[in-house]
Amino acid sequence: MSAQSTSSPAPPMVRDEEELARLPASERIRYRLVGADCRYHANDNIAAFIREGELDELKVEVEQRMQQVLEALVIDTDSDHNTNETAKRVAKMFLTEVFSGRYQPIPSVTEFPNFSRLNELMIVGPVKVRSACSHHLCPILGKVWIGILPNERSNLIGLSKYARICDWIMSRPQIQEEAVMMLANELQTRVKPDGLAIVMEADHFCMHWRGVKDDESMMTNSVMRGAFLKDANLRREFLSLLSKKT
Ligand SMILES: [Zn+2]
């Protein structure tokens, strides 16, 4: 291990591949992220930094640490057959289901040019949202509506792809306000519409299950961009169509 001068843009510590390979997968992946100066918050996707086979290694690591959590909770997982495999199940659920949007690359989406020059308001939704809050890792369940006003230079994507991109962004520990912004940014870059509107309405289980145990826990967020910001009629049209769909 040799230290580099701090003025160098390269990672501060140089490890050779052999040394890296001896580290747990999570440390190896973190090393690459830090080296690339890449953010790895709970709602960031880090798929580009995970190599083949490492997701399986992560699963084993998370299982071992989840087992320690159960032990710290003083649960006898040896004789309690209900919790015997809980650590393993939770690790699999986190990595391949509920937080898979952190570890999987964006689903492949074919974009095609707007040949028929559609320029009418298009609404997609309700798209089912399954997410979790970053604060407590409690479920967030809800719906998203997407309004698109394309122009002749927009790239169109298939209707089902909106749901897949949405799912990819929501399948991470999230904060609702940030989740809608992330979805808007992704769609803006891909579709390049004149106007983009997103409304998300979700039920936050950390409000039911803990804390105040408030049953009024629905939260609604919206993002309006381009034509939806400038044109009050368009905004009204989107919101009225949306209320008819619920
Ligand atoms: Zn929470």
Side-chain angles (χ1 to χ4, degrees), residues 156-197:
L156 302 180
I157 60 177
L159 284 183
S160 65
K161 305 299 185 194
Y162 288 96
R164 294 195 61 196
I165 292 177
C166 181
D167 191 52
W168 178 69
I169 285 173
M170 298 300 167
S171 300
R172 307 171 191 180
Q174 275 289 11
I175 297 299
Q176 186 164 330
E177 302 91 309
E178 293 178 5
V180 288
M181 292 297 280
M182 278 186 159
L183 181 58
N185 292 345
E186 195 60 50
L187 293 177
Q188 188 71 47
T189 359
R190 280 174 182 269
V191 185
K192 301 183 181 70
D194 270 354
L196 175 67

Side-chain angles (χ1 to χ4, degrees), residues 198-211:
I198 295 177
V199 170
M200 174 168 168
E201 184 186 80
D203 200 2
H204 289 243
F205 280 60
C206 57
M207 301 283 283
H208 295 296
W209 196 27
R210 54 160 295 285

Side-chain angles (χ1 to χ4, degrees), residues 133 135-136 206:
C133 79
H135 299 144
H136 308 94
C206 57

Side-chain angles (χ1 to χ4, degrees), residues 14 31 41 48 76 92 111 119 134 141 143 152 175 188 190 193 232 234 241-242:
V14 173
Y31 177 81
H41 290 183
D76 179 2
K92 185 174 176 232
E111 294 149 19
N119 60 357
S134 293
L141 299 180
K143 293 168 187 162
E152 53 199 35
I175 297 299
Q188 188 71 47
R190 280 174 182 269
L234 181 68
L241 286 170
L242 184 149

Side-chain angles (χ1 to χ4, degrees), residues 9-238:
M13 238 185 326
V14 173
R15 297 183 194 263
D16 56 32
E17 282 297 318
E18 259 175 66
E19 198 183 338
L20 263 181
R22 280 196 296 271
L23 294 173
S26 64
E27 280 180 42
R28 232 178 288 144
I29 296 163
R30 191 175 303 115
Y31 177 81
R32 292 180 202 128
L33 283 158
V34 171
D37 201 17
C38 189
R39 204 182 83 157
Y40 55 104
H41 290 183
N43 56 3
D44 287 325
N45 180 277
I46 57 166
F49 296 87
I50 302 173
R51 305 218 176 129
E52 211 186 323
E54 287 183 340
L55 208 54
D56 289 328
E57 287 181 65
L58 281 184
K59 233 182 275 173
V60 175
E61 252 188 82
V62 174
E63 178 187 338
Q64 285 165 351
R65 298 189 193 190
M66 190 51 68
Q67 182 61 35
Q68 290 175 339
V69 171
L70 293 169
E71 279 160 26
L73 289 168
V74 201
I75 294 173
D76 179 2
T77 59
D78 286 333
S79 51
D80 175 7
H81 64 274
N82 293 323
T83 55
N84 198 248
E85 301 245 310
T86 295
K88 190 178 186 163
R89 280 189 291 263
V90 172
K92 185 174 176 232
M93 176 182 77
F94 280 170
L95 287 157
T96 64
E97 296 173 313
V98 298
F99 303 153
S100 61
R102 296 194 81 232
Y103 307 102
Q104 295 300 324
I106 186 163
S108 68
V109 172
T110 323
E111 294 149 19
F112 46 95
N114 188 0
F115 287 125
S116 39
R117 302 185 172 215
L118 300 171
N119 60 357
E120 297 285 312
L121 170 61
M122 223 171 76
I123 297 184
V124 186
V127 175
K128 193 170 180 178
V129 165
R130 297 192 301 180
S131 194
C133 79
S134 293
H135 299 144
H136 308 94
L137 305 185
C138 281
I140 297 173
L141 299 180
K143 293 168 187 162
V144 158
W145 291 264
I146 300 162
I148 301 260
L149 187 73
N151 63 37
E152 53 199 35
R153 293 172 310 280
S154 294
N155 298 313
L156 302 180
I157 60 177
L159 284 183
S160 65
K161 305 299 185 194
Y162 288 96
R164 294 195 61 196
I165 292 177
C166 181
D167 191 52
W168 178 69
I169 285 173
M170 298 300 167
S171 300
R172 307 171 191 180
Q174 275 289 11
I175 297 299
Q176 186 164 330
E177 302 91 309
E178 293 178 5
V180 288
M181 292 297 280
M182 278 186 159
L183 181 58
N185 292 345
E186 195 60 50
L187 293 177
Q188 188 71 47
T189 359
R190 280 174 182 269
V191 185
K192 301 183 181 70
D194 270 354
L196 175 67
I198 295 177
V199 170
M200 174 168 168
E201 184 186 80
D203 200 2
H204 289 243
F205 280 60
C206 57
M207 301 283 283
H208 295 296
W209 196 27
R210 54 160 295 285
V212 289
K213 297 191 174 155
D214 185 354
D215 281 332
E216 298 297 321
S217 56
M218 292 300 275
M219 179 171 169
T220 307
N221 276 85
S222 64
V223 177
M224 301 281 163
R225 288 187 182 172
F228 285 95
L229 270 185
K230 293 177 214 134
D231 185 345
N233 286 331
L234 181 68
R235 201 160 56 232
R236 217 169 295 131
E237 189 187 346
F238 171 67

